[in-house]
Each structure stands twice: as structure tokens, then as C-alpha cells.
PDB file of all heavy atoms in Angstrom:
ATOM      1  N   THR A  21     167.066 121.818 118.670  1.00  0.00           N
ATOM      2  CA  THR A  21     168.252 122.253 117.897  1.00  0.00           C
ATOM      3  C   THR A  21     169.185 123.136 118.710  1.00  0.00           C
ATOM      4  O   THR A  21     170.328 123.338 118.324  1.00  0.00           O
ATOM      5  CB  THR A  21     167.927 122.995 116.574  1.00  0.00           C
ATOM      6  OG1 THR A  21     167.475 124.332 116.853  1.00  0.00           O
ATOM      7  CG2 THR A  21     166.929 122.238 115.730  1.00  0.00           C
ATOM      8  N   LEU A  22     168.726 123.677 119.853  1.00  0.00           N
ATOM      9  CA  LEU A  22     169.542 124.564 120.695  1.00  0.00           C
ATOM     10  C   LEU A  22     169.938 125.850 119.976  1.00  0.00           C
ATOM     11  O   LEU A  22     170.904 126.510 120.368  1.00  0.00           O
ATOM     12  CB  LEU A  22     170.810 123.841 121.179  1.00  0.00           C
ATOM     13  CG  LEU A  22     170.597 122.525 121.925  1.00  0.00           C
ATOM     14  CD1 LEU A  22     171.939 121.876 122.251  1.00  0.00           C
ATOM     15  CD2 LEU A  22     169.811 122.757 123.215  1.00  0.00           C
ATOM     16  N   LEU A  23     169.197 126.230 118.955  1.00  0.00           N
ATOM     17  CA  LEU A  23     169.567 127.395 118.150  1.00  0.00           C
ATOM     18  C   LEU A  23     168.473 128.457 118.137  1.00  0.00           C
ATOM     19  O   LEU A  23     168.192 129.053 117.107  1.00  0.00           O
ATOM     20  CB  LEU A  23     169.880 126.955 116.706  1.00  0.00           C
ATOM     21  CG  LEU A  23     171.089 126.041 116.516  1.00  0.00           C
ATOM     22  CD1 LEU A  23     171.196 125.593 115.069  1.00  0.00           C
ATOM     23  CD2 LEU A  23     172.376 126.739 116.956  1.00  0.00           C
ATOM     24  N   SER A  24     167.867 128.691 119.298  1.00  0.00           N
ATOM     25  CA  SER A  24     166.803 129.686 119.351  1.00  0.00           C
ATOM     26  C   SER A  24     166.860 130.444 120.664  1.00  0.00           C
ATOM     27  O   SER A  24     167.391 129.929 121.665  1.00  0.00           O
ATOM     28  CB  SER A  24     165.433 129.013 119.199  1.00  0.00           C
ATOM     29  OG  SER A  24     164.382 129.951 119.369  1.00  0.00           O
ATOM     30  N   PHE A  25     166.316 131.640 120.671  1.00  0.00           N
ATOM     31  CA  PHE A  25     166.158 132.400 121.907  1.00  0.00           C
ATOM     32  C   PHE A  25     164.777 132.143 122.529  1.00  0.00           C
ATOM     33  O   PHE A  25     164.355 132.845 123.431  1.00  0.00           O
ATOM     34  CB  PHE A  25     166.349 133.895 121.647  1.00  0.00           C
ATOM     35  CG  PHE A  25     167.762 134.260 121.258  1.00  0.00           C
ATOM     36  CD1 PHE A  25     168.024 135.419 120.553  1.00  0.00           C
ATOM     37  CD2 PHE A  25     168.829 133.449 121.603  1.00  0.00           C
ATOM     38  CE1 PHE A  25     169.319 135.765 120.193  1.00  0.00           C
ATOM     39  CE2 PHE A  25     170.134 133.778 121.256  1.00  0.00           C
ATOM     40  CZ  PHE A  25     170.382 134.948 120.547  1.00  0.00           C
ATOM     41  N   GLU A  26     164.084 131.136 122.054  1.00  0.00           N
ATOM     42  CA  GLU A  26     162.815 130.657 122.615  1.00  0.00           C
ATOM     43  C   GLU A  26     163.021 129.212 123.027  1.00  0.00           C
ATOM     44  O   GLU A  26     163.444 128.385 122.215  1.00  0.00           O
ATOM     45  CB  GLU A  26     161.718 130.746 121.552  1.00  0.00           C
ATOM     46  CG  GLU A  26     160.424 130.027 121.890  1.00  0.00           C
ATOM     47  CD  GLU A  26     159.431 130.879 122.644  1.00  0.00           C
ATOM     48  OE1 GLU A  26     159.570 130.955 123.874  1.00  0.00           O
ATOM     49  OE2 GLU A  26     158.548 131.456 122.000  1.00  0.00           O
ATOM     50  N   SER A  27     162.781 128.863 124.281  1.00  0.00           N
ATOM     51  CA  SER A  27     163.030 127.498 124.756  1.00  0.00           C
ATOM     52  C   SER A  27     161.756 126.669 124.657  1.00  0.00           C
ATOM     53  O   SER A  27     160.938 126.650 125.578  1.00  0.00           O
ATOM     54  CB  SER A  27     163.559 127.532 126.194  1.00  0.00           C
ATOM     55  OG  SER A  27     164.861 128.068 126.220  1.00  0.00           O
ATOM     56  N   SER A  28     161.608 125.963 123.527  1.00  0.00           N
ATOM     57  CA  SER A  28     160.370 125.234 123.257  1.00  0.00           C
ATOM     58  C   SER A  28     160.639 124.015 122.396  1.00  0.00           C
ATOM     59  O   SER A  28     161.531 124.027 121.537  1.00  0.00           O
ATOM     60  CB  SER A  28     159.372 126.171 122.560  1.00  0.00           C
ATOM     61  OG  SER A  28     158.152 125.519 122.315  1.00  0.00           O
ATOM     62  N   SER A  29     159.865 122.975 122.644  1.00  0.00           N
ATOM     63  CA  SER A  29     159.924 121.774 121.803  1.00  0.00           C
ATOM     64  C   SER A  29     158.623 121.002 122.001  1.00  0.00           C
ATOM     65  O   SER A  29     157.903 121.207 122.980  1.00  0.00           O
ATOM     66  CB  SER A  29     161.105 120.881 122.196  1.00  0.00           C
ATOM     67  OG  SER A  29     160.927 120.332 123.494  1.00  0.00           O
ATOM     68  N   ASP A  30     158.311 120.106 121.058  1.00  0.00           N
ATOM     69  CA  ASP A  30     157.146 119.228 121.233  1.00  0.00           C
ATOM     70  C   ASP A  30     157.328 118.353 122.467  1.00  0.00           C
ATOM     71  O   ASP A  30     156.360 118.012 123.154  1.00  0.00           O
ATOM     72  CB  ASP A  30     156.985 118.315 120.009  1.00  0.00           C
ATOM     73  CG  ASP A  30     156.620 119.067 118.743  1.00  0.00           C
ATOM     74  OD1 ASP A  30     156.243 120.251 118.844  1.00  0.00           O
ATOM     75  OD2 ASP A  30     156.717 118.467 117.654  1.00  0.00           O
ATOM     76  N   LEU A  31     158.561 117.990 122.739  1.00  0.00           N
ATOM     77  CA  LEU A  31     158.859 117.033 123.797  1.00  0.00           C
ATOM     78  C   LEU A  31     158.583 117.587 125.188  1.00  0.00           C
ATOM     79  O   LEU A  31     157.977 116.921 126.030  1.00  0.00           O
ATOM     80  CB  LEU A  31     160.321 116.587 123.689  1.00  0.00           C
ATOM     81  CG  LEU A  31     160.737 115.367 124.500  1.00  0.00           C
ATOM     82  CD1 LEU A  31     159.957 114.136 124.087  1.00  0.00           C
ATOM     83  CD2 LEU A  31     162.237 115.111 124.337  1.00  0.00           C
ATOM     84  N   PHE A  32     159.016 118.815 125.441  1.00  0.00           N
ATOM     85  CA  PHE A  32     158.906 119.372 126.786  1.00  0.00           C
ATOM     86  C   PHE A  32     157.985 120.584 126.879  1.00  0.00           C
ATOM     87  O   PHE A  32     157.729 121.082 127.979  1.00  0.00           O
ATOM     88  CB  PHE A  32     160.290 119.755 127.307  1.00  0.00           C
ATOM     89  CG  PHE A  32     161.207 118.580 127.529  1.00  0.00           C
ATOM     90  CD1 PHE A  32     162.382 118.447 126.805  1.00  0.00           C
ATOM     91  CD2 PHE A  32     160.887 117.595 128.454  1.00  0.00           C
ATOM     92  CE1 PHE A  32     163.237 117.366 127.009  1.00  0.00           C
ATOM     93  CE2 PHE A  32     161.728 116.510 128.669  1.00  0.00           C
ATOM     94  CZ  PHE A  32     162.905 116.393 127.944  1.00  0.00           C
ATOM     95  N   GLY A  33     157.502 121.094 125.761  1.00  0.00           N
ATOM     96  CA  GLY A  33     156.660 122.273 125.812  1.00  0.00           C
ATOM     97  C   GLY A  33     157.473 123.549 125.875  1.00  0.00           C
ATOM     98  O   GLY A  33     158.702 123.542 125.742  1.00  0.00           O
ATOM     99  N   THR A  34     156.807 124.669 126.116  1.00  0.00           N
ATOM    100  CA  THR A  34     157.424 125.990 126.057  1.00  0.00           C
ATOM    101  C   THR A  34     157.707 126.536 127.452  1.00  0.00           C
ATOM    102  O   THR A  34     156.808 126.593 128.298  1.00  0.00           O
ATOM    103  CB  THR A  34     156.503 126.976 125.313  1.00  0.00           C
ATOM    104  OG1 THR A  34     156.290 126.486 123.985  1.00  0.00           O
ATOM    105  CG2 THR A  34     157.108 128.365 125.256  1.00  0.00           C
ATOM    106  N   ALA A  35     158.945 126.943 127.682  1.00  0.00           N
ATOM    107  CA  ALA A  35     159.309 127.599 128.941  1.00  0.00           C
ATOM    108  C   ALA A  35     158.830 129.051 128.899  1.00  0.00           C
ATOM    109  O   ALA A  35     158.862 129.699 127.854  1.00  0.00           O
ATOM    110  CB  ALA A  35     160.815 127.546 129.154  1.00  0.00           C
ATOM    111  N   LYS A  36     158.408 129.557 130.058  1.00  0.00           N
ATOM    112  CA  LYS A  36     157.840 130.903 130.130  1.00  0.00           C
ATOM    113  C   LYS A  36     158.742 131.844 130.931  1.00  0.00           C
ATOM    114  O   LYS A  36     159.456 131.418 131.842  1.00  0.00           O
ATOM    115  CB  LYS A  36     156.455 130.850 130.787  1.00  0.00           C
ATOM    116  CG  LYS A  36     155.467 129.958 130.058  1.00  0.00           C
ATOM    117  CD  LYS A  36     154.181 129.779 130.874  1.00  0.00           C
ATOM    118  CE  LYS A  36     153.244 128.777 130.214  1.00  0.00           C
ATOM    119  NZ  LYS A  36     152.042 128.513 131.051  1.00  0.00           N
ATOM    120  N   ASN A  37     158.659 133.115 130.588  1.00  0.00           N
ATOM    121  CA  ASN A  37     159.427 134.120 131.316  1.00  0.00           C
ATOM    122  C   ASN A  37     158.868 134.268 132.731  1.00  0.00           C
ATOM    123  O   ASN A  37     157.651 134.374 132.910  1.00  0.00           O
ATOM    124  CB  ASN A  37     159.361 135.460 130.579  1.00  0.00           C
ATOM    125  CG  ASN A  37     160.335 136.470 131.141  1.00  0.00           C
ATOM    126  OD1 ASN A  37     160.170 136.971 132.246  1.00  0.00           O
ATOM    127  ND2 ASN A  37     161.360 136.786 130.369  1.00  0.00           N
ATOM    128  N   PRO A  38     159.719 134.286 133.742  1.00  0.00           N
ATOM    129  CA  PRO A  38     159.224 134.377 135.122  1.00  0.00           C
ATOM    130  C   PRO A  38     158.568 135.716 135.458  1.00  0.00           C
ATOM    131  O   PRO A  38     157.804 135.800 136.431  1.00  0.00           O
ATOM    132  CB  PRO A  38     160.483 134.169 135.964  1.00  0.00           C
ATOM    133  CG  PRO A  38     161.615 134.555 135.063  1.00  0.00           C
ATOM    134  CD  PRO A  38     161.188 134.167 133.691  1.00  0.00           C
ATOM    135  N   HIS A  39     158.841 136.748 134.677  1.00  0.00           N
ATOM    136  CA  HIS A  39     158.256 138.068 134.915  1.00  0.00           C
ATOM    137  C   HIS A  39     156.930 138.248 134.173  1.00  0.00           C
ATOM    138  O   HIS A  39     156.033 138.917 134.680  1.00  0.00           O
ATOM    139  CB  HIS A  39     159.238 139.162 134.491  1.00  0.00           C
ATOM    140  CG  HIS A  39     160.549 139.102 135.200  1.00  0.00           C
ATOM    141  ND1 HIS A  39     160.820 139.836 136.329  1.00  0.00           N
ATOM    142  CD2 HIS A  39     161.665 138.373 134.936  1.00  0.00           C
ATOM    143  CE1 HIS A  39     162.053 139.563 136.740  1.00  0.00           C
ATOM    144  NE2 HIS A  39     162.587 138.683 135.916  1.00  0.00           N
ATOM    145  N   LYS A  40     156.844 137.662 132.984  1.00  0.00           N
ATOM    146  CA  LYS A  40     155.617 137.717 132.185  1.00  0.00           C
ATOM    147  C   LYS A  40     155.500 136.413 131.420  1.00  0.00           C
ATOM    148  O   LYS A  40     156.319 136.117 130.544  1.00  0.00           O
ATOM    149  CB  LYS A  40     155.670 138.896 131.200  1.00  0.00           C
ATOM    150  CG  LYS A  40     155.319 140.232 131.804  1.00  0.00           C
ATOM    151  CD  LYS A  40     154.989 141.255 130.707  1.00  0.00           C
ATOM    152  CE  LYS A  40     154.418 142.519 131.319  1.00  0.00           C
ATOM    153  NZ  LYS A  40     153.959 143.473 130.307  1.00  0.00           N
ATOM    154  N   HIS A  41     154.485 135.629 131.743  1.00  0.00           N
ATOM    155  CA  HIS A  41     154.369 134.303 131.143  1.00  0.00           C
ATOM    156  C   HIS A  41     154.047 134.344 129.660  1.00  0.00           C
ATOM    157  O   HIS A  41     154.188 133.331 128.966  1.00  0.00           O
ATOM    158  CB  HIS A  41     153.319 133.490 131.896  1.00  0.00           C
ATOM    159  CG  HIS A  41     153.673 133.258 133.325  1.00  0.00           C
ATOM    160  ND1 HIS A  41     152.779 132.769 134.252  1.00  0.00           N
ATOM    161  CD2 HIS A  41     154.833 133.464 133.999  1.00  0.00           C
ATOM    162  CE1 HIS A  41     153.377 132.671 135.427  1.00  0.00           C
ATOM    163  NE2 HIS A  41     154.616 133.093 135.306  1.00  0.00           N
ATOM    164  N   THR A  42     153.640 135.499 129.164  1.00  0.00           N
ATOM    165  CA  THR A  42     153.363 135.652 127.737  1.00  0.00           C
ATOM    166  C   THR A  42     154.640 135.798 126.926  1.00  0.00           C
ATOM    167  O   THR A  42     154.606 135.781 125.696  1.00  0.00           O
ATOM    168  CB  THR A  42     152.494 136.894 127.500  1.00  0.00           C
ATOM    169  OG1 THR A  42     153.093 138.013 128.176  1.00  0.00           O
ATOM    170  CG2 THR A  42     151.085 136.683 128.025  1.00  0.00           C
ATOM    171  N   HIS A  43     155.776 135.935 127.608  1.00  0.00           N
ATOM    172  CA  HIS A  43     157.050 136.195 126.945  1.00  0.00           C
ATOM    173  C   HIS A  43     158.038 135.051 127.177  1.00  0.00           C
ATOM    174  O   HIS A  43     157.870 134.241 128.082  1.00  0.00           O
ATOM    175  CB  HIS A  43     157.646 137.517 127.442  1.00  0.00           C
ATOM    176  CG  HIS A  43     156.885 138.723 126.990  1.00  0.00           C
ATOM    177  ND1 HIS A  43     155.570 138.967 127.357  1.00  0.00           N
ATOM    178  CD2 HIS A  43     157.248 139.768 126.187  1.00  0.00           C
ATOM    179  CE1 HIS A  43     155.163 140.103 126.801  1.00  0.00           C
ATOM    180  NE2 HIS A  43     156.161 140.606 126.086  1.00  0.00           N
ATOM    181  N   THR A  44     159.078 135.008 126.371  1.00  0.00           N
ATOM    182  CA  THR A  44     160.080 133.952 126.456  1.00  0.00           C
ATOM    183  C   THR A  44     161.132 134.282 127.518  1.00  0.00           C
ATOM    184  O   THR A  44     161.470 135.451 127.713  1.00  0.00           O
ATOM    185  CB  THR A  44     160.772 133.735 125.099  1.00  0.00           C
ATOM    186  OG1 THR A  44     161.814 132.762 125.244  1.00  0.00           O
ATOM    187  CG2 THR A  44     161.397 135.016 124.573  1.00  0.00           C
ATOM    188  N   PRO A  45     161.689 133.260 128.182  1.00  0.00           N
ATOM    189  CA  PRO A  45     162.798 133.486 129.108  1.00  0.00           C
ATOM    190  C   PRO A  45     164.143 133.489 128.393  1.00  0.00           C
ATOM    191  O   PRO A  45     165.187 133.633 129.023  1.00  0.00           O
ATOM    192  CB  PRO A  45     162.697 132.294 130.060  1.00  0.00           C
ATOM    193  CG  PRO A  45     162.193 131.191 129.184  1.00  0.00           C
ATOM    194  CD  PRO A  45     161.240 131.849 128.211  1.00  0.00           C
ATOM    195  N   GLY A  46     164.108 133.303 127.077  1.00  0.00           N
ATOM    196  CA  GLY A  46     165.352 133.242 126.303  1.00  0.00           C
ATOM    197  C   GLY A  46     165.731 131.820 125.953  1.00  0.00           C
ATOM    198  O   GLY A  46     165.023 130.862 126.265  1.00  0.00           O
ATOM    199  N   GLY A  47     166.863 131.697 125.295  1.00  0.00           N
ATOM    200  CA  GLY A  47     167.351 130.389 124.899  1.00  0.00           C
ATOM    201  C   GLY A  47     168.813 130.486 124.495  1.00  0.00           C
ATOM    202  O   GLY A  47     169.342 131.589 124.353  1.00  0.00           O
ATOM    203  N   SER A  48     169.506 129.376 124.365  1.00  0.00           N
ATOM    204  CA  SER A  48     168.872 128.082 124.532  1.00  0.00           C
ATOM    205  C   SER A  48     168.832 127.594 125.982  1.00  0.00           C
ATOM    206  O   SER A  48     168.223 126.572 126.280  1.00  0.00           O
ATOM    207  CB  SER A  48     169.602 127.048 123.675  1.00  0.00           C
ATOM    208  OG  SER A  48     170.969 126.943 124.037  1.00  0.00           O
ATOM    209  N   SER A  49     169.461 128.360 126.900  1.00  0.00           N
ATOM    210  CA  SER A  49     169.430 127.978 128.316  1.00  0.00           C
ATOM    211  C   SER A  49     168.274 128.676 129.025  1.00  0.00           C
ATOM    212  O   SER A  49     168.411 129.156 130.151  1.00  0.00           O
ATOM    213  CB  SER A  49     170.773 128.345 128.983  1.00  0.00           C
ATOM    214  OG  SER A  49     171.867 127.843 128.253  1.00  0.00           O
ATOM    215  N   GLY A  50     167.109 128.710 128.371  1.00  0.00           N
ATOM    216  CA  GLY A  50     165.978 129.471 128.885  1.00  0.00           C
ATOM    217  C   GLY A  50     165.377 128.904 130.152  1.00  0.00           C
ATOM    218  O   GLY A  50     164.950 129.642 131.040  1.00  0.00           O
ATOM    219  N   GLY A  51     165.310 127.573 130.259  1.00  0.00           N
ATOM    220  CA  GLY A  51     164.786 126.971 131.478  1.00  0.00           C
ATOM    221  C   GLY A  51     165.628 127.335 132.688  1.00  0.00           C
ATOM    222  O   GLY A  51     165.106 127.591 133.777  1.00  0.00           O
ATOM    223  N   GLU A  52     166.949 127.368 132.493  1.00  0.00           N
ATOM    224  CA  GLU A  52     167.852 127.789 133.570  1.00  0.00           C
ATOM    225  C   GLU A  52     167.555 129.220 133.994  1.00  0.00           C
ATOM    226  O   GLU A  52     167.501 129.539 135.186  1.00  0.00           O
ATOM    227  CB  GLU A  52     169.316 127.687 133.123  1.00  0.00           C
ATOM    228  CG  GLU A  52     169.936 126.331 133.271  1.00  0.00           C
ATOM    229  CD  GLU A  52     169.988 125.830 134.707  1.00  0.00           C
ATOM    230  OE1 GLU A  52     170.038 126.653 135.649  1.00  0.00           O
ATOM    231  OE2 GLU A  52     169.960 124.611 134.898  1.00  0.00           O
ATOM    232  N   GLY A  53     167.390 130.108 133.008  1.00  0.00           N
ATOM    233  CA  GLY A  53     167.126 131.501 133.326  1.00  0.00           C
ATOM    234  C   GLY A  53     165.874 131.671 134.165  1.00  0.00           C
ATOM    235  O   GLY A  53     165.865 132.407 135.160  1.00  0.00           O
ATOM    236  N   ALA A  54     164.802 130.981 133.779  1.00  0.00           N
ATOM    237  CA  ALA A  54     163.535 131.080 134.508  1.00  0.00           C
ATOM    238  C   ALA A  54     163.669 130.514 135.919  1.00  0.00           C
ATOM    239  O   ALA A  54     163.189 131.106 136.895  1.00  0.00           O
ATOM    240  CB  ALA A  54     162.439 130.347 133.746  1.00  0.00           C
ATOM    241  N   LEU A  55     164.299 129.349 136.046  1.00  0.00           N
ATOM    242  CA  LEU A  55     164.446 128.700 137.347  1.00  0.00           C
ATOM    243  C   LEU A  55     165.260 129.562 138.309  1.00  0.00           C
ATOM    244  O   LEU A  55     164.882 129.760 139.471  1.00  0.00           O
ATOM    245  CB  LEU A  55     165.119 127.340 137.167  1.00  0.00           C
ATOM    246  CG  LEU A  55     165.344 126.514 138.444  1.00  0.00           C
ATOM    247  CD1 LEU A  55     164.023 126.098 139.062  1.00  0.00           C
ATOM    248  CD2 LEU A  55     166.214 125.295 138.145  1.00  0.00           C
ATOM    249  N   LEU A  56     166.377 130.105 137.836  1.00  0.00           N
ATOM    250  CA  LEU A  56     167.244 130.926 138.682  1.00  0.00           C
ATOM    251  C   LEU A  56     166.557 132.220 139.088  1.00  0.00           C
ATOM    252  O   LEU A  56     166.665 132.673 140.239  1.00  0.00           O
ATOM    253  CB  LEU A  56     168.556 131.225 137.946  1.00  0.00           C
ATOM    254  CG  LEU A  56     169.488 130.022 137.757  1.00  0.00           C
ATOM    255  CD1 LEU A  56     170.513 130.316 136.664  1.00  0.00           C
ATOM    256  CD2 LEU A  56     170.199 129.671 139.058  1.00  0.00           C
ATOM    257  N   ALA A  57     165.842 132.838 138.156  1.00  0.00           N
ATOM    258  CA  ALA A  57     165.169 134.101 138.464  1.00  0.00           C
ATOM    259  C   ALA A  57     164.126 133.931 139.562  1.00  0.00           C
ATOM    260  O   ALA A  57     163.921 134.838 140.375  1.00  0.00           O
ATOM    261  CB  ALA A  57     164.523 134.667 137.200  1.00  0.00           C
ATOM    262  N   LEU A  58     163.488 132.778 139.606  1.00  0.00           N
ATOM    263  CA  LEU A  58     162.453 132.520 140.601  1.00  0.00           C
ATOM    264  C   LEU A  58     163.018 131.943 141.903  1.00  0.00           C
ATOM    265  O   LEU A  58     162.274 131.676 142.838  1.00  0.00           O
ATOM    266  CB  LEU A  58     161.391 131.587 140.029  1.00  0.00           C
ATOM    267  CG  LEU A  58     160.465 132.225 138.993  1.00  0.00           C
ATOM    268  CD1 LEU A  58     159.607 131.173 138.305  1.00  0.00           C
ATOM    269  CD2 LEU A  58     159.571 133.281 139.644  1.00  0.00           C
ATOM    270  N   GLY A  59     164.327 131.727 141.948  1.00  0.00           N
ATOM    271  CA  GLY A  59     164.945 131.217 143.165  1.00  0.00           C
ATOM    272  C   GLY A  59     164.838 129.731 143.338  1.00  0.00           C
ATOM    273  O   GLY A  59     165.096 129.208 144.433  1.00  0.00           O
ATOM    274  N   GLY A  60     164.474 128.998 142.278  1.00  0.00           N
ATOM    275  CA  GLY A  60     164.404 127.546 142.353  1.00  0.00           C
ATOM    276  C   GLY A  60     165.759 126.889 142.281  1.00  0.00           C
ATOM    277  O   GLY A  60     165.888 125.672 142.437  1.00  0.00           O
ATOM    278  N   SER A  61     166.796 127.685 142.081  1.00  0.00           N
ATOM    279  CA  SER A  61     168.190 127.259 142.086  1.00  0.00           C
ATOM    280  C   SER A  61     168.999 128.533 142.279  1.00  0.00           C
ATOM    281  O   SER A  61     168.511 129.631 141.988  1.00  0.00           O
ATOM    282  CB  SER A  61     168.553 126.571 140.768  1.00  0.00           C
ATOM    283  OG  SER A  61     169.912 126.169 140.748  1.00  0.00           O
ATOM    284  N   ARG A  62     170.211 128.396 142.777  1.00  0.00           N
ATOM    285  CA  ARG A  62     171.085 129.573 142.857  1.00  0.00           C
ATOM    286  C   ARG A  62     172.210 129.498 141.838  1.00  0.00           C
ATOM    287  O   ARG A  62     172.763 130.523 141.441  1.00  0.00           O
ATOM    288  CB  ARG A  62     171.683 129.714 144.258  1.00  0.00           C
ATOM    289  CG  ARG A  62     170.700 130.167 145.310  1.00  0.00           C
ATOM    290  CD  ARG A  62     171.384 130.605 146.583  1.00  0.00           C
ATOM    291  NE  ARG A  62     171.918 131.946 146.486  1.00  0.00           N
ATOM    292  CZ  ARG A  62     171.276 133.036 146.923  1.00  0.00           C
ATOM    293  NH1 ARG A  62     170.079 132.934 147.460  1.00  0.00           N
ATOM    294  NH2 ARG A  62     171.842 134.228 146.813  1.00  0.00           N
TER     295      ARG A  62
END
């Protein structure tokens, strides 16, 4: 739905915060946040 601060779905699973995997990286662009924080993209 793109309407959450948690990036999760049955289809792709739950994205994790790069600092603490027990926490969310945010949403709805949460996967981007995690990837950029870890340097997997600039």
C-alpha cells in the first residue's frame, strides 16, 4: 500500500534497519534508506 513507516509485505518480506536489525528502516522508501546507509548505493 506504500502507506507505512515499516517496509514489509508477504511478497518481499521485511526490510531491516542497518543499525539494528530488530528495528525498521522506515517507509515507504525503507529499502532505499537501508541500502544507502550501508553504502550499497550512493
Side-chain angles (χ1 to χ4, degrees):
T21 75
L22 304 176
L23 295 175
S24 175
F25 293 157
E26 168 89 276
S27 291
S28 182
S29 67
D30 293 347
L31 193 61
F32 294 117
T34 300
K36 301 171 186 175
N37 190 290
H39 302 265
K40 279 197 171 186
H41 298 168
T42 50
H43 290 63
T44 176
S48 59
S49 309
E52 276 298 333
L55 180 65
L56 290 162
L58 287 170
S61 179
R62 287 194 80 96

